[in-house]
Amino acid sequence: MASEFPRILAASARMPFAVDEIHKLGEEKGHFLIATDTFRESPGMHSKGVSEAIITAPPTQEPEAFVDDVARIIDQHRIDWVLPMFEEVFYLAANREKLEAGRPDVNFFFPQLDALLEVNDKSRFAELCKRLDLHVAETIVCSSPEEFVAATQRWEHWFARATFGRGGLDIITNYGPLAGETAVEDIKPTADDPWLVQEFLVGEDRCSWSVVHEGEVVLHSCYRHPLAIDDRGGIVFESVDSPESLEAVQKIAKELNWTGQISMDYLATADGTHYMVECNPRPTAGCTVATADEFNTALFDPNGLVVVPGGRKKMIKAAVLRDAILHPSRAKADFAAAKGAKGVYDQRKDHMPLIYSALSLRHVLAYRKAAGAERSKEQLVAAQFFDILYDGSSLT
């Protein structure tokens, strides 16, 4: 029988949005919360609302051991809600039948594997959006270096990314601040690891995050990032009014009968058109601009749709300071972008995640050992998730 108050397992507690959600869950009296990750310095494992922190095997490198660890935690701690925070969700979904066996009262709050795969593959996601009459930039899928070179000659300004790339990595363009970082001839697409090339559209990057139950969106936020780290991931998040993003998520959630958290990236052009860029089948920074009450209600007691209003701001304070120190000429603009924003890691009466966000840099060493020196320039971003990432390979 399910407990009166939810007993929650939150996996991959390191990410800033995981820290935020764990903090929000911890604010609610009566919740029992287990936070897991693959290393002890994971910031979210040290939030004051965590009842117990547990180390698991890395899902990317040891998927079977990871699933066994999760099953054991569920049984030992009478867990009745499982909330994935990153791409470990693919390994859980692939083993859903095993996890559900003998556990009828556990709410595995994530979609079926088929739905996850539909949105994770950027080429399949583009086709899904076209089928639902959502705007998508013209796209060429490349499975060989020759196809890639030819595709980059299709437009004067173009943008390309790996089908299974994440976190602002594995991208190349000939226009904008990232132009020239990577040579075209260095990109080697294959049938198993294709790349997408699209016309470079000018506009504002926007993102959304939603909580969904059986195809119905119950909580939605859309946000922009006035400040990004190294022109890749946002470090300041400001909610904006965006009925276009809500309509897009509602269409996709209904089509896939989605249950769980879902996040989208868009390119909003000057005429207000929201071009679909990609889908992350997990939480992203949009959760940080929702309140604890909004989040807990959406999960455990939803009652209709709640849309986060525009004007709320959050930031990763350490990243803002890092950018200002590394680029003094940008310091004034950095602090202006962050003005009025509250911290994600350093929340009121819950400061240990901020301390551990610094200590967690030890994980960079583990990334270097696993990935080698050839990707050292991306180590701060890639080290966040190299052992909880799904790369599109077979899950069966």
Side-chain angles (χ1 to χ4, degrees):
M1 179 178 295
S3 56
E4 179 182 359
F5 295 103
R7 299 178 66 85
I8 308 157
L9 187 161
S12 297
R14 74 189 71 175
M15 307 299 284
F17 41 82
V19 172
D20 180 80
E21 291 196 353
I22 288 169
H23 175 83
K24 287 178 165 69
L25 293 168
E27 283 190 20
E28 192 73 14
K29 293 181 179 179
H31 287 3
F32 176 86
L33 177 60
I34 297 284
T36 73
D37 213 322
T38 66
F39 65 110
R40 295 196 177 279
E41 294 87 355
S42 174
M45 292 171 60
H46 300 275
S47 177
K48 70 173 186 176
V50 172
S51 305
E52 187 171 344
I54 299 177
I55 303 299
T56 69
T60 302
Q61 288 77 26
E62 303 176 43
E64 291 185 12
F66 168 70
V67 172
D68 288 342
D69 285 344
V70 169
R72 183 166 52 252
I73 294 167
I74 292 172
D75 294 340
Q76 290 181 352
H77 296 277
R78 296 181 288 115
I79 297 297
D80 50 29
W81 275 80
V82 176
L83 295 177
M85 297 292 181
F86 203 70
E87 294 190 356
E88 77 282 359
V89 65
F90 288 91
Y91 305 98
L92 295 174
N95 292 275
R96 190 176 199 126
E97 185 175 342
K98 176 180 178 180
L99 289 169
E100 288 182 339
R103 303 179 181 96
D105 294 323
V106 179
N107 189 321
F108 295 94
F109 197 64
F110 50 85
Q112 298 293 329
L113 181 60
D114 287 348
L116 288 168
L117 296 176
E118 184 82 3
V119 300
N120 185 63
D121 181 326
K122 292 183 178 65
S123 59
R124 290 179 63 182
F125 177 67
E127 291 301 320
L128 170 67
C129 292
K130 291 177 183 177
R131 191 166 74 243
L132 297 177
D133 294 324
L134 298 172
H135 295 282
V136 183
E138 185 179 352
T139 302
I140 301 174
V141 180
C142 305
S143 300
S144 70
E146 295 77 17
E147 290 178 354
F148 185 79
V149 171
T152 62
Q153 297 170 357
R154 171 70 172 76
W155 302 281
E156 179 182 2
H157 298 143
W158 51 266
F159 180 85
R161 53 215 164 100
T163 297
F164 299 105
R166 284 293 181 267
L169 306 177
D170 298 312
I171 61 176
I172 177 175
T173 181
N174 71 339
Y175 189 73
L178 298 179
E181 279 197 356
T182 306
V184 171
E185 56 269 22
D186 290 339
I187 305 302
K188 309 292 184 183
T190 66
D192 293 330
D193 186 20
W195 277 63
L196 278 68
V197 182
Q198 296 175 314
E199 181 181 11
F200 191 104
L201 299 176
V202 177
E204 181 181 60
D205 292 329
R206 290 190 176 181
C207 308
S208 71
W209 160 81
S210 308
V211 177
V212 186
H213 290 266
E214 297 180 346
E216 180 182 356
V217 178
V218 297
L219 178 58
H220 177 79
S221 73
C222 186
Y223 63 101
R224 67 186 190 97
H225 25 85
L227 183 61
I229 183 170
D230 301 331
D231 297 306
R232 295 181 187 270
I235 54 177
V236 176
F237 319 109
E238 182 178 15
S239 61
V240 296
D241 295 320
S242 175
E244 297 87 355
S245 70
L246 175 59
E247 180 182 3
V249 177
Q250 286 175 323
K251 284 186 175 182
I252 291 170
K254 183 177 181 181
E255 176 72 11
L256 300 177
N257 193 31
W258 196 272
T259 288
Q261 302 184 69
I262 189 169
S263 303
M264 303 285 176
D265 290 351
Y266 316 83
L267 195 287
T269 54
D271 63 359
T273 301
H274 282 49
Y275 286 87
M276 309 300 295
V277 176
E278 68 179 46
C279 174
N280 291 300
R282 54 172 173 81
T284 52
C287 68
T288 67
V289 294
T291 66
D293 181 66
E294 288 168 344
F295 180 55
N296 278 277
T297 298
L299 282 179
F300 307 119
D301 189 27
N303 183 23
L305 172 65
V306 174
V307 178
V308 173
R312 297 180 185 176
K313 290 179 78 172
K314 285 291 187 72
M315 66 173 166
I316 303 175
K317 188 178 296 183
V320 174
L321 293 174
R322 171 187 176 273
D323 195 71
I325 292 170
L326 291 179
H327 309 284
S329 64
R330 300 205 304 242
K332 184 176 180 180
D334 285 356
F335 295 136
K339 184 178 181 180
K342 296 181 179 180
V344 173
Y345 285 112
D346 53 328
Q347 303 210 39
R348 185 173 178 267
K349 297 182 179 180
D350 193 10
H351 301 296
M352 293 306 290
L354 176 62
I355 295 172
Y356 277 91
S357 69
L359 296 176
S360 68
L361 293 177
R362 178 191 70 83
H363 207 52
V364 173
L365 299 177
Y367 170 71
R368 285 176 178 170
K369 183 177 180 180
E374 71 274 5
R375 302 197 67 164
S376 60
K377 69 178 181 178
E378 298 168 347
Q379 63 191 25
L380 283 176
V381 177
Q384 282 193 304
F385 48 70
F386 80 94
D387 54 350
I388 54 175
L389 184 72
Y390 170 60
D391 64 1
S393 57
S394 175
L395 288 163
T396 57

